[in-house]
Amino acid sequence: MTLDKVDTPVVETLAIVGVGLIGSSLALAAKEAEAVKTVRLFDASGDVRKRATELELGDVSDTLEGAVAGADLVMICTPVGVIGQAAGACGPHLKSGAVVSDVGSVKASALKDMLGISREDVFIVPGHPIAGTEQSGPDAGFSTLFDGRWCILTPASSKDEAYEQAVETLSRFWKAIGSTVEVMTPERHDLVLAITSHLPHLIAFNIVATAADMEQVTEGEVVKYSAGGFRDFTRIAASDPTMWRDVFLNNKDAVLETLGRFTEDLAALQRAIRWADGDALFDLFTRARGIRQSIIEAGQDTAAPDFGRSTDED
Amino acid sequence: MTLDKVDTPVVETLAIVGVGLIGSSLALAAKEAEAVKTVRLFDASGDVRKRATELELGDVSDTLEGAVAGADLVMICTPVGVIGQAAGACGPHLKSGAVVSDVGSVKASALKDMLGISREDVFIVPGHPIAGTEQSGPDAGFSTLFDGRWCILTPASSKDEAYEQAVETLSRFWKAIGSTVEVMTPERHDLVLAITSHLPHLIAFNIVATAADMEQVTEGEVVKYSAGGFRDFTRIAASDPTMWRDVFLNNKDAVLETLGRFTEDLAALQRAIRWADGDALFDLFTRARGIRQSIIEAGQDTAAPDFGRSTDED
């Protein structure tokens, strides 16, 4: 499956900083859709730069400056925790009028970090493609990762027309590689994602670790009978540890709020089990099933696994 | 994909009591593999009996007695909560030497319930195929549901040679329809499944309900961005409410034990987030990823979703 080509490139030069799953997929997508004329890439790791060259992702630069100077659109695709560092390093080299964005799973902190660029003549528009797999690194990328997915943009509140144009340009870029764009404030994004993504991942990590710690049951047995419900959780829990550490460190408030709700509800469930309240259990399970139906009806249910497409045929 | 045929039928007549996903799949599997000569079915619901006839699952009887009288192997495939009732109703009609088993997700209570048969001349061997989908009802069944899956048998502790033969017969039946058989005590089964299946399902139910209750975020937003991690949970939470209510009511102790562990670990995780302990988070996530690797290496990771095969292409 490939992306349709757009009639005219959205911008001339795209610079990608950080060539992991997302960065490499962006490069492949932009090329395949002909959304840009030139793709330039930089990664802090020499090994990754070498691999990016071998994979023919674009023009790989040995310096950050070489990648971002003159670029119309700069996409910072580093872990959330180093966005500030990457943005600060880019800052002096950006051309006037450049649009700077990112792909991190937390937006309020990303906006704050990117504002460290301190240039009045560039446009900072944070973004977050709701797509990914548990894989990491440049080899994991593929061009259709964002196709049919949502991309949330969280511009700063600004009535400046030039800034709105920049948001529009970024929006057209994401559409060119197959995404549907939604705009909201960084705070709303962080709350919605806390529920739909961050909390589920936290729970998955926790359940996998809890199971591994139960001494009465061997890891062997847990692994063997994992098809019973456990296996889906392990797939989510196989996500990149660096990325997720940074998510929780940078979306603390929203995560703690949703986690508080979750544990209150879980205590009520635990109580219902202890007191053998079959009706309460039945009602809850029926309600949960209904929500599943809503997802199917909304067309958000596809053959692809949870957060995009898994490249390991799982 | 179809099952291989066995050289000789394992038994002559199989009776299936309860024609849901598992019951109908058993009928189709037994027929396709030629594991038995005759399949008889009964369900308490007239509509289900009618559908079973239309689906040509086997000889559908309008009475329980008509299905089980003279059967060599009787598989009780009702929800866990009515196993006792079904077993008691079968009891007087069973032929001497019949093997009686079940497919429920909890085994200590199933054994206790089936012992209500009170016949010294039949052999009660509880079983649990680790397979299933979120679908329910006779139309959901398919012949390869158990193929390549584990089936756990939990015989009563008995050194009687005739009983051991019965366990062997049941074991050969499951192998004939593609499963690998494992034998353990009912108590061990219930603990292992509490961790690998019951707790994951409980957590999934809870997270779906928690998300739906957060007033600051609309159900529409939760549904829309569900690809972020939430969607896999909703699939698990779409499981049959009756079945799961009965599981939690009948495996209370093991579930409460694992739930206690889970919440203790979750509180530690919550604390690490509040205190921004990045190292603790990173270590936990790295460990969880390692467990995923064990599952892949054990070959328990397949293209099929969590608990078997989903028939809705999800």
Side-chain angles (χ1 to χ4, degrees):
Chain A
M1 185 180 134
T2 58
L3 300 171
D4 294 332
K5 297 189 203 306
V6 292
D7 296 330
T8 340
V10 179
V11 297
E12 196 156 312
T13 303
L14 163 70
I16 293 170
V17 180
V19 189
L21 164 70
I22 304 295
S24 61
S25 296
L26 271 177
L28 292 167
K31 198 158 46 158
E32 190 164 283
E34 291 178 4
V36 309
K37 280 194 182 155
T38 307
V39 177
R40 296 214 209 104
L41 303 105
F42 173 77
D43 194 284
S45 151
D47 286 343
V48 171
R49 290 196 301 270
K50 182 158 172 285
R51 192 67 192 126
T53 306
E54 288 163 1
L55 291 166
E56 295 178 358
L57 296 178
D59 301 338
V60 180
S61 168
D62 277 340
T63 64
L64 178 61
E65 179 180 357
V68 308
D72 306 289
L73 173 59
V74 178
M75 298 286 285
I76 299 176
C77 302
T78 64
V80 160
V82 298
I83 286 177
Q85 188 183 325
C90 285
H93 311 298
L94 299 169
K95 87 176 196 189
S96 195
V99 179
V100 184
S101 188
D102 75 312
V103 294
S105 304
V106 193
K107 296 274 53 82
S109 64
L111 176 60
K112 183 157 127 353
D113 287 346
M114 283 192 284
L115 287 173
I117 284 177
S118 290
R119 289 265 306 260
E120 306 242 350
D121 62 334
V122 304
F123 303 104
I124 293 162
V125 188
H128 177 207
I130 313 297
T133 75
E134 333 74 79
Q135 306 297 318
S136 306
D139 284 85
F142 55 103
S143 64
T144 52
L145 177 60
F146 313 103
D147 190 33
R149 294 283 162 212
W150 289 98
C151 183
I152 299 177
L153 303 186
T154 62
S157 46
S158 166
K159 299 285 168 246
D160 182 62
E161 210 190 296
Y163 186 78
E164 282 181 28
Q165 282 287 356
V167 177
E168 179 56 32
T169 298
L170 183 61
S171 188
R172 277 189 291 120
F173 172 77
W174 280 106
K175 287 174 185 172
I177 60 174
S179 292
T180 309
V181 172
E182 188 89 2
V183 175
M184 63 181 75
T185 65
E187 292 72 26
R188 186 158 197 77
H189 165 280
D190 289 352
L191 183 63
V192 173
L193 269 292
I195 299 159
T196 59
S197 175
H198 304 164
L199 182 66
H201 279 81
L202 191 70
I203 297 310
F205 284 124
N206 196 59
I207 207 173
V208 170
T210 296
D213 283 341
M214 288 200 66
E215 310 89 8
Q216 310 100 305
V217 172
T218 65
E219 185 187 303
E221 282 169 316
V222 169
V223 166
K224 215 159 144 179
Y225 306 116
S226 60
F230 191 68
R231 195 175 57 191
D232 269 358
F233 281 74
T234 64
R235 184 170 56 210
I236 297 169
S239 304
D240 186 74
T242 303
M243 172 193 156
W244 283 98
R245 175 200 63 198
D246 287 355
V247 164
F248 294 117
L249 292 181
N250 286 277
N251 198 21
K252 192 168 94 166
D253 294 346
V255 167
L256 289 176
E257 165 67 14
T258 55
L259 191 43
R261 299 285 196 119
F262 176 85
T263 52
E264 286 160 22
D265 292 346
L266 192 61
L269 207 49
Q270 183 170 334
R271 197 164 179 276
I273 291 171
R274 193 179 296 281
W275 288 92
D277 188 349
D279 290 341
L281 296 175
F282 186 85
D283 290 345
L284 176 78
F285 301 160
T286 302
R287 190 153 73 92
R289 205 181 210 192
I291 292 162
R292 170 66 176 172
Q293 205 45 45
S294 302
I295 286 183
I296 291 174
E297 282 159 15
Q300 281 305 301
D301 179 72
T302 68
D306 175 26
F307 34 82
R309 289 151 192 93
S310 174
T311 54
D312 65 350
E313 289 300 333
D314 184 18
Chain B
M1 184 178 134
T2 58
L3 300 171
D4 294 332
K5 295 188 201 310
V6 292
D7 297 329
T8 340
V10 178
V11 297
E12 195 157 310
T13 304
L14 164 69
I16 292 170
V17 179
V19 189
L21 164 70
I22 305 294
S24 60
S25 297
L26 270 178
L28 293 167
K31 199 160 43 162
E32 189 163 284
E34 292 180 1
V36 309
K37 282 194 182 153
T38 307
V39 176
R40 298 213 208 103
L41 305 104
F42 173 77
D43 194 285
S45 152
D47 286 342
V48 171
R49 291 197 299 272
K50 184 160 172 283
R51 194 67 193 124
T53 306
E54 288 162 1
L55 292 166
E56 294 179 356
L57 297 178
D59 302 339
V60 180
S61 167
D62 276 341
T63 64
L64 178 60
E65 179 179 357
V68 309
D72 307 288
L73 173 58
V74 176
M75 299 287 285
I76 298 176
C77 302
T78 64
V80 159
V82 298
I83 285 178
Q85 187 182 327
C90 286
H93 310 298
L94 300 168
K95 88 175 195 192
S96 194
V99 179
V100 183
S101 187
D102 76 312
V103 295
S105 303
V106 193
K107 296 272 56 79
S109 64
L111 176 60
K112 183 158 131 340
D113 286 345
M114 284 193 283
L115 287 173
I117 283 177
S118 290
R119 289 266 306 261
E120 306 240 348
D121 60 337
V122 304
F123 303 104
I124 293 162
V125 187
H128 177 208
I130 313 299
T133 75
E134 332 76 80
Q135 307 296 318
S136 306
D139 283 88
F142 55 103
S143 63
T144 52
L145 177 60
F146 313 103
D147 190 33
R149 295 284 163 210
W150 288 98
C151 182
I152 299 177
L153 302 187
T154 63
S157 45
S158 166
K159 298 284 166 245
D160 182 62
E161 208 189 295
Y163 186 77
E164 283 181 27
Q165 281 288 356
V167 177
E168 178 56 32
T169 298
L170 182 61
S171 189
R172 277 189 291 121
F173 172 78
W174 281 106
K175 288 174 185 172
I177 59 175
S179 292
T180 309
V181 172
E182 188 88 2
V183 175
M184 62 180 74
T185 65
E187 292 72 26
R188 185 157 198 80
H189 165 280
D190 289 351
L191 183 62
V192 173
L193 269 292
I195 300 160
T196 60
S197 175
H198 306 165
L199 183 64
H201 279 81
L202 191 69
I203 296 310
F205 284 123
N206 195 59
I207 206 173
V208 170
T210 296
D213 284 342
M214 287 199 69
E215 312 88 11
Q216 309 102 304
V217 171
T218 65
E219 187 188 302
E221 282 171 314
V222 169
V223 166
K224 217 160 143 178
Y225 305 116
S226 58
F230 190 69
R231 194 176 58 192
D232 268 356
F233 282 75
T234 63
R235 182 169 56 208
I236 297 168
S239 305
D240 187 75
T242 303
M243 171 193 156
W244 283 97
R245 174 202 63 199
D246 286 355
V247 163
F248 294 117
L249 291 181
N250 285 277
N251 198 20
K252 192 168 94 164
D253 293 346
V255 168
L256 290 176
E257 165 67 15
T258 55
L259 192 43
R261 299 285 198 120
F262 176 85
T263 53
E264 286 159 25
D265 291 348
L266 193 60
L269 206 48
Q270 184 170 333
R271 196 165 180 275
I273 292 170
R274 194 179 295 282
W275 288 93
D277 187 348
D279 290 342
L281 296 176
F282 186 84
D283 290 347
L284 176 77
F285 302 160
T286 302
R287 191 154 72 93
R289 205 181 210 193
I291 292 161
R292 170 66 175 173
Q293 206 44 44
S294 303
I295 286 183
I296 292 174
E297 283 160 13
Q300 280 304 303
D301 180 73
T302 68
D306 174 28
F307 33 82
R309 289 151 194 94
S310 173
T311 53
D312 66 349
E313 287 301 330
D314 184 17

